[in-house]
Amino acid sequence: MIVRFIVFVLCVFISACSGPKLAPLSASAEIMAFGDSLTYGKGASEDGDYPAVLAELTGFKVINAGVSGETTSQGLTRLAELLVGETPDLLILLEGGNDFLRNHDIAKTKANLAQMIELAQAKSIPVVLIAVPQKSIFLSSATLYSELAETYDVMLLEDVLTDLLKTRSMKSDTIHLNDAGYRALAETVYRGLEDAGAI
């Protein structure tokens, strides 16, 4: 069991990250983790959400800007409001799952995520995009994330969430992670940032 878990984590680390290099973050850097319940940490114990674990791993301030149940249309409005008053040094964007669960138009979801990336890039905020799996019998990351990453030249963590949601021991229910899952997600983000030169 332990060996299989180690192999799983290594596979995630090796295959998860793609995209451009990032500028090194300063010691006082502030990261905004933006998204829905997977960012908020539904299913996690106190301080078990991935932004809290990422703060522990990096030593940076990581803002948990996750809202359970949020769609990309709602997220677009909220992010625009947040970025009026805040300019984080890095934005981690993990959203789209609720659109898929509610059968929203894929083109609209992609357009909303594109506008979120554009909002950040207009303020020179680097973006890390985490792909979300589409609703299907066999989970696989929605292709719109790789398309967006290519269009906007942003770092993409493509398979980590899909792989974690395929692993029963990493989940608190069918669509949310548990403490172990959120820690594995945070560790993958950390390794991705390290490989990209941000830390």
Side-chain angles (χ1 to χ4, degrees), residues 118-136:
E118 289 171 4
L119 283 171
Q121 291 186 336
K123 297 190 73 172
S124 299
I125 302 168
V127 176
V128 174
L129 187 61
I130 300 178
V132 178
Q134 284 184 277
K135 186 171 64 173
S136 64

Side-chain angles (χ1 to χ4, degrees), residues 160-177:
V160 57
L161 190 56
T162 298
D163 289 343
L164 289 169
L165 289 172
K166 287 179 179 177
T167 308
R168 183 176 299 178
S169 63
M170 294 289 168
K171 299 193 296 183
S172 61
D173 59 35
T174 55
I175 58 173
H176 297 102
L177 303 176

Side-chain angles (χ1 to χ4, degrees), residues 93-94 129-133 141-142 145-146 156-159 161-162:
L93 180 58
L94 194 176
L129 187 61
I130 300 178
V132 178
S141 299
Y145 293 96
S146 59
L156 175 66
L157 297 172
E158 186 166 15
D159 297 319
L161 190 56
T162 298

Side-chain angles (χ1 to χ4, degrees), residues 15-146:
S15 65
C17 176
S18 64
K21 293 295 182 182
L22 297 172
L25 294 168
S26 70
S28 60
E30 186 174 284
I31 298 171
M32 178 181 287
F34 186 91
D36 51 32
S37 56
L38 288 166
T39 297
Y40 175 78
K42 186 169 182 178
S45 61
E46 187 175 356
D47 295 328
D49 55 278
Y50 101 78
V53 177
L54 185 61
E56 170 196 320
L57 293 171
T58 62
F60 297 139
K61 178 180 179 181
V62 181
I63 301 166
N64 186 331
V67 172
S68 290
E70 185 172 75
T71 64
T72 57
S73 292
Q74 295 167 328
L76 174 58
T77 299
R78 185 167 66 92
L79 182 61
E81 293 170 352
L82 281 174
L83 293 184
V84 168
E86 297 191 49
T87 306
D89 298 285
L90 181 72
L91 176 71
I92 303 173
L93 180 58
L94 194 176
E95 200 154 73
N98 290 307
D99 291 45
F100 300 147
L101 288 171
R102 299 171 194 178
N103 299 312
H104 288 193
D105 180 66
I106 296 295
K108 181 61 175 174
T109 298
K110 183 178 179 180
N112 289 336
L113 290 166
Q115 289 181 72
M116 290 186 212
I117 295 169
E118 289 171 4
L119 283 171
Q121 291 186 336
K123 297 190 73 172
S124 299
I125 302 168
V127 176
V128 174
L129 187 61
I130 300 178
V132 178
Q134 284 184 277
K135 186 171 64 173
S136 64
I137 296 173
F138 301 104
L139 283 183
S140 61
S141 299
T143 57
L144 65 89
Y145 293 96
S146 59

